[in-house]
Amino acid sequence: MNAIETPPDLAARAGSLSDRAGYDESFLGPVVPLPMPSDPAVETVVLPYTHFTVVHRPDRRLAAATAVCIDGANLLEDVRRDDAWEFDPRLPESQQAGNDIYRNNPLDRGHLVRRLDPVWGSTAEANRANSDTFHFTNAAPQQDIFNQGKKLWLGLENHLLDHAAQFDRKLTVMTGPVLHDSDPPYRGIQVPLRFWKVAAFIQGGQLASTGYVLDQSPDLTRAFERAMAGAKPGDPPPLGPFRTFQVPISDIVQLTSLNFGPLPAADLMPVTRAPAERWKQLESYDDMVLQS
């Protein structure tokens, strides 16, 4: 990026984040690197926070990926929620999707790193992590309707932590939007229609991983056609219901063009069916494949 003169107050705010260590690639023991674009021509900015890191795409004004370390045995559950969303002062505001994207419409600021996931350690550390999750770099537009698919998506980390309880209750979770060229434009950004999540943990002494996709693509039904026909210029794109799938991590690699290091090889969901058939829609957590 070209150098931009930074106002003194912005420089001070940026300096307040200078001590953030971010995601720890060795948190689980085996090295699990940040997911990064396979194409070196894709520009990203790596932004460390408390216990998590955002890999930001300035051209899309959204994250390409996030990665968080979750220490389930030391989570603090009584940290007060802080809904004061802020721009990250380390980036120009023009490269971030701020409140204008979410105002007066049915779009939520969907946390990519879930608020409670990095909230562990000392009280000061946990509070800092809590506040850090409320940067616009850690949000992406999602449908505001709460349904079973979204409930499953939001609770995945809890379920995986419970599964990991027999080991050391540590997870690393990577999450991001699927940034596709065909994503519908709205207020200066393109709204992602799918989101991905990859979890890594130790099982039986070995690195294990699972992958998931949240799909909010609009249903191609008459209701969708009517919504499109009645849409006014500048209206947000109609989004469909949340559908949560467990998918092979190799498919997420194909969807995102991100490098997930050792995680596709450690995937507990074997690739045994044709691509169109192997996505497993989750109706409950009992449907998840957690044993190879």
Side-chain angles (χ1 to χ4, degrees):
M1 290 187 296
N2 295 329
I4 297 174
E5 186 174 349
T6 306
D9 62 330
L10 199 61
R13 288 175 51 214
S16 71
L17 295 172
S18 63
D19 65 342
R20 302 304 197 260
Y23 169 75
D24 179 0
E25 296 186 344
S26 300
F27 181 68
L28 296 177
V31 173
V32 180
L34 273 174
M36 297 294 292
S38 299
D39 183 354
V42 176
E43 182 185 11
T44 57
V45 181
V46 175
L47 300 167
Y49 297 96
T50 305
H51 300 150
F52 71 97
T53 292
V54 171
V55 180
H56 190 74
R57 278 272 301 266
D59 62 321
R60 289 294 300 262
R61 301 172 62 189
L62 297 170
T66 65
V68 60
C69 301
I70 309 174
D71 186 345
N74 293 297
L75 288 169
L76 273 66
E77 298 181 358
D78 57 349
V79 174
R80 183 177 60 85
R81 182 182 179 92
D82 179 5
D83 283 317
W85 287 85
E86 295 184 347
F87 288 103
D88 188 310
R90 297 171 292 187
L91 284 177
E93 292 183 7
S94 62
Q95 295 179 358
Q96 304 175 60
N99 270 329
D100 288 347
I101 307 302
Y102 303 97
R103 187 175 291 119
N104 301 322
N105 59 35
L107 297 178
D108 272 348
R109 303 176 196 85
H111 270 84
L112 297 175
V113 171
R114 196 177 60 154
R115 179 181 75 90
L116 292 177
D117 284 353
V119 179
W120 51 268
S122 69
T123 300
E125 193 176 16
N127 279 304
R128 188 165 61 245
N130 176 65
S131 296
D132 282 359
T133 67
F134 286 93
H135 283 93
F136 287 119
T137 48
N138 186 43
Q142 291 185 349
Q143 173 68 269
D144 65 353
I145 295 175
F146 197 93
N147 58 28
Q148 180 65 12
K150 191 172 185 180
K151 180 179 179 181
L152 285 169
W153 182 256
L154 293 179
L156 271 175
E157 288 94 332
N158 282 345
H159 185 79
L160 291 168
L161 277 170
D162 289 342
H163 172 74
Q166 58 184 303
F167 304 103
D168 60 4
R169 285 184 56 81
K170 283 187 175 182
L171 292 176
T172 61
V173 176
M174 302 167 181
T175 308
V178 177
L179 299 177
H180 198 278
D181 290 343
S182 65
D183 290 335
Y186 177 63
R187 295 184 182 178
I189 70 161
Q190 290 177 270
V191 177
L193 299 181
R194 286 176 168 175
F195 294 82
W196 57 268
K197 189 184 300 288
V198 172
F201 44 94
I202 300 300
Q203 180 167 283
Q206 301 294 320
L207 181 66
S209 59
T210 52
Y212 309 88
V213 166
L214 173 72
D215 193 326
Q216 60 175 359
S217 302
D219 283 337
L220 299 179
T221 61
R222 289 183 179 179
F224 168 69
E225 292 172 358
R226 286 196 297 270
M228 288 296 290
K232 302 180 182 65
D235 280 354
L239 300 175
F242 288 89
R243 289 164 292 181
T244 300
F245 299 85
Q246 184 171 355
V247 308
I249 296 173
S250 58
D251 285 10
I252 298 177
V253 172
Q254 294 296 316
L255 280 173
T256 63
S257 298
L258 294 172
N259 187 337
F260 288 91
L263 299 184
D267 194 354
L268 295 178
M269 186 177 193
V271 179
T272 56
R273 293 177 286 168
E277 301 172 346
R278 66 191 187 211
W279 286 29
K280 182 180 180 66
Q281 184 164 355
L282 302 181
E283 302 295 341
S284 74
Y285 298 122
D286 292 338
D287 296 334
M288 291 169 61
V289 178
L290 293 174
Q291 299 289 336
S292 58

